[in-house]
Amino acid sequence: MIRNTTASWGSLARAFHWVLGITIIGMLAYGWWMNHFPARADKFFYRSIHADIGYLVLLLTVLRLLWRGVNPTPALPADMPAWQRTAARVNHGALYAVTILVAMLGWAHSGSRDQDYSSFFGLFHVPQITSPDKAAADAFEHRHIFFAYVLLALIVLHLAAVAFHHFVKRCRVAARMMGAGEVDGAR
């Protein structure tokens, strides 16, 4: 089924989750690698690819939120403590917000640099939201990197919660995102 129910995630929600999850983790690793290799003549190429994928992450995140807004969200288990429900809602909201923030800061950084990162895989130009300004570029880059680390921390918390629910509590909360079937309200 493509749509969510109150008991399980639909195939489109799961696809958004896995594509974005893998892409974001890959972008964090790629960004770290890109900023830690020695200066090279082709550094612009690597940064341009990072920017292009960042535009896709932003678009897919917005589409995921729109899809989530028009579909029911599967209920958490009835026996889950209130603090865990709150922590789950806060972490999910923060994951969305910080993903968008990191992408927007990257986009702002892209436009504030003298080099043009607006070409989207050579197909068309993405309108830039800032103008070239060295001081602004440095500020956007530092904030982009800082919030990328914040995003990484949120992902680690998310994965720790997944592991806790799957291996310790042995409930099916995590299995729902893998398409493992319906989850009843109690477990």
Side-chain angles (χ1 to χ4, degrees), residues 1-5 8-14 67 69-72:
M1 97 193 114
I2 195 167
R3 295 184 61 91
N4 301 346
T5 68
S8 66
W9 295 102
S11 59
L12 188 57
R14 287 193 313 271
W67 182 251
V70 298
N71 276 275

Side-chain angles (χ1 to χ4, degrees), residues 1 4 9 14 24 26 42 48-49 54 59-60 80-81 94 100 109 117 147 149-150 153-154 157-158 173-174 180 182:
M1 97 193 114
N4 301 346
W9 295 102
R14 287 193 313 271
I24 290 167
D42 57 356
S48 181
I49 295 297
L59 175 64
L60 289 174
M80 183 180 282
I100 290 171
H109 175 249
Y117 289 114
F147 282 105
Y149 281 109
V150 171
L154 291 169
L157 283 173
H158 181 69
V173 170
E182 301 274 320

Side-chain angles (χ1 to χ4, degrees), residues 48-62:
S48 181
I49 295 297
H50 185 76
D52 292 346
I53 297 170
Y55 297 133
L56 280 175
V57 166
L58 180 59
L59 175 64
L60 289 174
T61 302
V62 169

Side-chain angles (χ1 to χ4, degrees), residues 100-122:
I100 290 171
L101 179 61
V102 168
M104 293 298 295
L105 287 166
W107 190 3
H109 175 249
S110 174
S112 63
R113 293 183 53 88
D114 287 331
Q115 293 172 307
D116 185 3
Y117 289 114
S118 67
S119 175
F120 184 76
F121 294 108

Side-chain angles (χ1 to χ4, degrees), residues 30-78:
Y30 185 75
W32 183 89
W33 170 81
M34 188 178 60
N35 284 317
H36 288 86
F37 70 74
R40 300 166 41 154
D42 57 356
K43 190 169 188 171
F44 174 78
F45 170 77
Y46 294 111
R47 288 182 174 267
S48 181
I49 295 297
H50 185 76
D52 292 346
I53 297 170
Y55 297 133
L56 280 175
V57 166
L58 180 59
L59 175 64
L60 289 174
T61 302
V62 169
L63 290 174
R64 181 179 184 185
L65 284 169
L66 290 172
W67 182 251
R68 187 175 171 137
V70 298
N71 276 275
T73 300
L76 293 170

Side-chain angles (χ1 to χ4, degrees), residues 4 25 27-28 30-31 55 82 88 91 97 106 133 135 160 162 165 171 182:
N4 301 346
I25 290 169
M27 284 287 280
L28 290 168
Y30 185 75
Y55 297 133
N91 186 259
D133 179 334
V162 167
H165 283 283
C171 63
E182 301 274 320

Side-chain angles (χ1 to χ4, degrees), residues 16-27:
F16 275 133
H17 175 269
W18 290 107
V19 168
L20 278 167
I22 291 165
T23 304
I24 290 167
I25 290 169
M27 284 287 280

